[in-house]
Each structure stands twice: as structure tokens, then as C-alpha cells.
Amino acid sequence: MVWIYSSILQTFFTIIEFNNKEKFLRERGEGFMSQLKYMLLILVLVLLLPRETDAATLQSKIERAAPGETIEISEGIYEENLVITKPITLKGQGEVLIRSCEEQPAIMIKGQRVSLEQIQVEYCGEEEEATAISISGSKHQITNFEIETKRYGIRLDGASEVNIQNGLIIGQRKGNGIDLWESSHNTIQNMKIAKVQDGIYLEQSHKNTLRQNHIQGSRYGMHLMFADDNVLEKNIAQYNMTGTMLMRVKHVQVVGNDFSYNRNNVNAQGLLIYFVENSRIAENSLTGNRVGIYMETSEENVMANNKVMDNFIGVQFTKANNNQLTQNTFVGNVNEAQAIESSNNKIHHNYWDASAKLDLKGKGESIFPFVADPYFLTLTADVPEFQLFFQSPGVLLLQKMLKSPADQVLTDEAPLMETTMEVERTETSASALWMMSVGMMIVSTSLFIVGRKRV
Amino acid sequence: MKKKLFSFLVLIGVLSMLAACGDKEVQPVAINEETDTCATCNMAVVDNQYATQVILENGKSLIFDDLGCMYEWMSENADQKIDAEFVRDYDNKEWVPADDAAYVYNQSVKTPMAYNVISFEQKADAEKFVANHAGSTLMTADELAKHSWTQNHEMMQNMGEGHSHSEDGTEESGHDMEQENTNH
């Protein structure tokens, strides 16, 4: 295509040259007219030819599209970096893959009301801040998409009322899946995110809704910093270093999420709460983590109706005051609760399966308060190696002798007799145990019989 | 002759070993990204130019993901005996004793906990950064000790008004603001 263009140009240049020579010979008016003709021809060429050569690129289609238009992208692989700044819809037909390894994002969205649908992005930019899709502006829709990225998946910077849903993001643990910076009133839902740094990261971004996202194999599932009034609802964050981190946030709702099996790191926990105020953590399931909920330096939060099950430590408070812990169910945790330097927490009406219970008044409450002594935790804080003495008789004796001060002890004055929710106890382990013991009995008796016969 | 040379070499060897024993200079510990978390904010520490560390006299090292977290820890744990403090050079990520480094505060530099202070081994490099980035403030280690450590978002949110979080975990959170002000 290029050589045709250049050869055509060359002929025109020779014509112009010829024309210039002609100009000296002919009358002024005639020469001007023919010159104008050629100039027009060249103009037409210059304007039309590049368009024809670039007709196949998506960017040219985007540039030609009128606001409100829908561009249907036919199946194929497009090695391009797209910039969309006007309200149009890009819709993939079949398998549409945008591929880029450039420093700039594969797709850059600005302005208002841009829609992306049915598009796959493969991005291998390696710069520290590199991202497959970058979004600013407002009211964009990104739906039914897939991103494979070396760094970030989607970055929102100063974006609002953006809706991101039904997508898949897979990274290489080097950047966040969806990263919000100074972006508020956005909705992120039904996303599947794996192998990224933080699944969804919010900094200085407020009033966003994260709903029904599923994040695994990442550093932190959801990570909020200086991000207030956000809602985290029905998300699943499993097998990460930490399910969710709330740091320096206020008025956050964490409801109905599943933060489980976050235990593969020595610093793992289901939910970490640091410098958090006036937030509500309710109806979440925290199962099989190293620590279910770890809370530090936080005040005026409510934790209610959570299921805290099979964790090494159920809840752990450090310098957490004036919080409310109620109607939670603690089942099968090695260590139900620990608190250091925490006071004035309203802890009542939780179910602790490890504690002794006796209901005298028929109110469903036990007359024995549940008490969690921080002795072991204080002991191991400075010398972690002392963890080897966990549940050793000597330490238990010391704990009884050197009673921690009353205000240091986490106490539930009115523990519940029954769980606050249905807890599906795994029966398999019990039946396996039975099978094993029966098997061993059979083996030992038969050995006994065989041995006797030989003698 | 050979014997003499050999004994001389042995002597040198023994002397250098002794010298090494006497060498009490504290060395920074390498960061393990898998397991190291910030002693203040609990966040996983990335082995980058923002990481800092404190080495206590008992040999224990504490890692921080942000210079501000280290200073917050030091103001909260004034009773701890500190042997050495290390920060990173912003450009080449080498460990630098905190007292020898030059510091730059710039609100638009994104640090992990948004304290927005970075460190340089050479003052010239810090000056270069200041020249290239508007809104930068150059500080020495002494000046940094008096720095207010306001986090970026607080600057924007609470212009003028006091924040009421309890830094030291005491019950009287109402007085914390005053305490903090006197601390720094």
C-alpha cells in the first residue's frame, strides 16, 4: 500500500515540476488554474489515502465514529493501543483480542459514557505503573471482558459512576487487579480476579460498591486505604495472603462476605482492620484462616453475626477500644479470641463453642462468662519462638498463676447457649475416625489371632 | 623462611578475624517480601525504595513499609533501645543510615502509607529531585525529626480540624491530638 502511495505522489511531483516549467511559458491565469487543479488532487490524495490504509485499525474506526455510535468489532487479534474519548460503544463479535506490550495502556478511556463489551485484552507492558485498561471520566460501562496482564488490570484515576462487571482479570502478582485512585461512586461486581497483587485496591476513593466479586491467589483480596463509605457485599476472597485489608477507613460496610482459607502466609488473616472507625462487619464467614479477624487501633466498630470457624485464632484485638462484638458464632478455632491493650469493648451474646456453658435462667445465655486471657499472646509477641509452648502445661499453669489484669482480658459476660446461625459441622472427619479405628481393631485382632496360631 | 611467611600469614589471619569480631557496626537486614510486614501498619513490605528498618539493641530488626510508619513506631516506643535506623536511597535502593540521609517531602509522591517522604543517600540527588519536582521540601535528618507526618488524605480531608484517632491506644482519645502535637 505504501509503495503505491509513494509512486503516485512521485508522479504528481513530476507533474508539478512540469507545470512549474509550463508556468514560465504560458499565461499567468492558465498556469494558476492547472496548479490549483493539481493542488486539489494532491489534497484529496493526502486526505483520503491514509484513511484507506488505516481503515482496518480500530483506532481509526473509533475516530470516525459519531458520539452514541456502536462499533462492532469482528473476530480477530488487534495489536493496538486504543484511546477512546467520546461516548461510543465498542462491542466484540466472537473472540476479539486487543494485544499490546507498549508502555501506554492497551485501552485508555476518558470522557463520558464509553462502553466496552465482549473484549479480551492481553497486556504485557512491564513499567511499574503499566495497566491494561486505564479509566478516567464518568459513567463508563465495562462488561463481559477478560484481561491478562503483567502489571495492573484496570486503573481508575479520578473516575466516577463507572460500572465494571462480569469480567475476569488474571495477573502475575505484580500489580493490582482493579486499582481505584481518587475515584468515587463506582460499582465493581461479579468480577473474577486471580494472581494479582491486590484484587481490588481503593485509595482515597469513597462511596464505591464492591459486590459478588471472587478473588483468589493474590496478596490481598480487597484493600482499602483512606477510603470511606464504601460497601463490600457478598464478595469471596479465599486463598490469598489476606482476604481483605481495611486501613484508615471510616463508615465502611462489610456484609455477607466470605473470607476463608487465607492461611498460607505467616501473616495471613481473613480480615485485617487497622485504624478503622464506625464501620460495620456483619454476616461474614471467616473459615480456616490463620487469624479470622485481626483488629488494631480501631474504634466504634460493630462486628455482628459473623461466622468465625476453624481458624487458628478467631478474633484478635490489639489496642482496639469501644468496639462491639455480638451475636457472632465461634466454632472450632484453636484459639477463639485474644486481646492485647484493648478495653471498653462491648462483647456479649456470642457463641463460643470451646467454653463451658450452663443456662440457669432459661434465657439462652450461659451464666459462665467467656474469658480470653492474652497471656500467651503477650508472651510470644517479643519472642515468637515461644509459640512452641502453645498449650504446654507449664504455660497454662503460669497463665493461671500470673493472672492478666482484668481490663486486659477479653470477656463475654453473657455468652450464648446456641449458635446464632447454622454451622455445617464437617461430619466426614468423625466418620473417617470411626472407619480408621474399626480398621485398626480388625488389623490388630487378626494379627493377634495369626500370631497365636504360629505359636 | 617459608615457616616465617606462614606464621606471618596466620598472624594476619587471626588479627583480621579479631578485627572483624570487634567490628560492631550494625548491618541492615535484607527484606523478605514473603514474610515481612510493617511493624506499625501490618502491611506486607515490598523490597523497594520506601522500605525502612530499625535494629534494636537486642538484635531484633523491625521492618517498615513507609518512613512515616518508622517514625510513628519510634514516637510510640520511645522506651525501646534502638541500635540503628536505616532508610533506602530513592534511586538505587541502597540502605543508608537514617542520620546520614537527605529527605524530601512532596505531596505528590505516592508512598505506601501516604506519608509522602522519600530518602536519598546523597544530598545532591535529593536537590536534583527537588529541582525537578515542584512542591518539594528538602530536609535533613534533624529537620525530619520535627516533621509533622501528616498523611496525604488528612491534609485534604481535615484542613485545619483535628483528627481523633488514638495513636497510643489509650482510652482518652480526645487528648490524642494535643499529645501528638507535642510529640512532633
Side-chain angles (χ1 to χ4, degrees), chain B residues 93-156:
Chain B
K93 298 181 192 173
E94 289 294 327
W95 289 107
V96 185
D99 289 339
D100 303 346
Y103 300 89
V104 174
Y105 171 63
N106 186 321
Q107 261 195 61
S108 52
V109 177
K110 287 189 194 173
T111 66
M113 282 301 280
Y115 286 102
N116 315 92
V117 179
I118 52 174
S119 41
F120 293 86
E121 184 175 10
Q122 304 294 336
K123 200 182 171 199
D125 292 335
E127 278 164 351
K128 213 165 111 191
F129 186 93
V130 170
N132 292 334
H133 297 80
S136 300
T137 319
L138 185 68
M139 285 182 284
T140 62
D142 289 340
E143 283 161 344
L144 190 72
K146 292 172 206 136
H147 181 63
S148 68
W149 295 112
T150 328
Q151 278 160 306
N152 202 343
H153 81 119
E154 289 171 324
M155 299 281 294
M156 291 188 230

Side-chain angles (χ1 to χ4, degrees), chain A residues 114-287:
Chain A
V114 174
S115 286
L116 286 189
E117 272 176 61
Q118 303 271 17
I119 286 175
Q120 296 176 26
V121 180
E122 209 180 282
Y123 181 70
C124 44
E126 294 196 49
E127 306 294 311
E128 221 159 275
E129 307 270 282
T131 179
I133 299 181
S134 90
I135 300 175
S136 59
S138 66
K139 296 182 176 146
H140 307 301
Q141 301 269 346
I142 321 289
T143 49
N144 300 324
F145 61 98
E146 282 180 37
I147 295 175
E148 237 179 89
T149 180
K150 234 177 191 171
R151 287 281 177 180
Y152 287 73
I154 302 177
R155 295 189 79 159
L156 280 76
D157 188 345
S160 63
E161 293 173 73
V162 173
N163 191 357
I164 299 173
Q165 61 179 355
N166 301 334
L168 171 75
I169 298 176
I170 294 178
Q172 297 184 1
R173 296 193 75 139
K174 283 183 186 161
N176 300 327
I178 301 176
D179 182 289
L180 279 73
W181 170 259
E182 289 180 5
S183 296
S184 299
H185 298 280
N186 302 290
T187 306
I188 298 166
Q189 55 188 351
N190 290 321
M191 289 294 306
K192 282 194 169 61
I193 301 172
K195 290 188 202 159
V196 292
Q197 184 171 279
D198 299 346
I200 303 172
Y201 178 82
L202 277 68
E203 186 168 347
Q204 296 190 29
S205 298
H206 315 295
K207 296 183 178 164
N208 299 289
T209 304
L210 316 182
R211 194 185 292 125
Q212 288 173 326
N213 302 292
H214 192 154
I215 301 146
Q216 63 178 34
S218 301
R219 188 181 74 166
Y220 307 144
M222 285 165 284
H223 187 181
L224 277 64
M225 278 181 78
F226 315 108
D228 303 332
D229 302 288
N230 294 292
V231 177
L232 279 60
E233 205 178 61
K234 294 180 185 163
N235 301 286
I236 301 172
Q238 298 179 341
Y239 302 102
N240 304 291
M241 183 169 152
T242 288
T244 286
M245 294 273 257
L246 306 177
M247 303 178 72
R248 294 196 178 254
V249 302
K250 292 180 193 126
H251 308 286
V252 170
Q253 304 276 330
V254 182
V255 180
N257 301 283
D258 183 348
F259 303 136
S260 298
Y261 314 113
N262 302 292
R263 62 184 169 204
N264 288 340
N265 189 285
V266 288
N267 303 304
Q269 52 260 309
L271 175 62
L272 186 139
I273 301 168
Y274 174 74
F275 260 103
V276 174
E277 288 167 31
N278 299 98
S279 292
R280 184 176 161 81
I281 291 92
E283 293 154 46
N284 302 290
S285 173
L286 301 120
T287 306

Side-chain angles (χ1 to χ4, degrees), chain A residues 313-365:
Chain A
I313 297 175
V315 290
Q316 185 172 342
F317 289 180
T318 304
K319 297 180 192 170
N321 307 309
N322 302 314
N323 300 286
Q324 201 179 330
L325 186 73
T326 180
Q327 300 283 335
N328 301 287
T329 291
F330 291 85
V331 173
N333 303 293
V334 178
N335 217 316
E336 308 252 58
Q338 298 272 19
I340 303 179
E341 294 175 54
S342 300
S343 57
N344 288 340
N345 293 300
K346 294 179 197 77
I347 301 167
H348 58 89
H349 293 97
N350 299 285
Y351 175 82
W352 312 87
D353 84 327
S355 69
K357 297 173 200 68
L358 178 62
D359 186 2
L360 276 186
K361 294 172 188 161
K363 279 160 72 181
E365 297 170 14

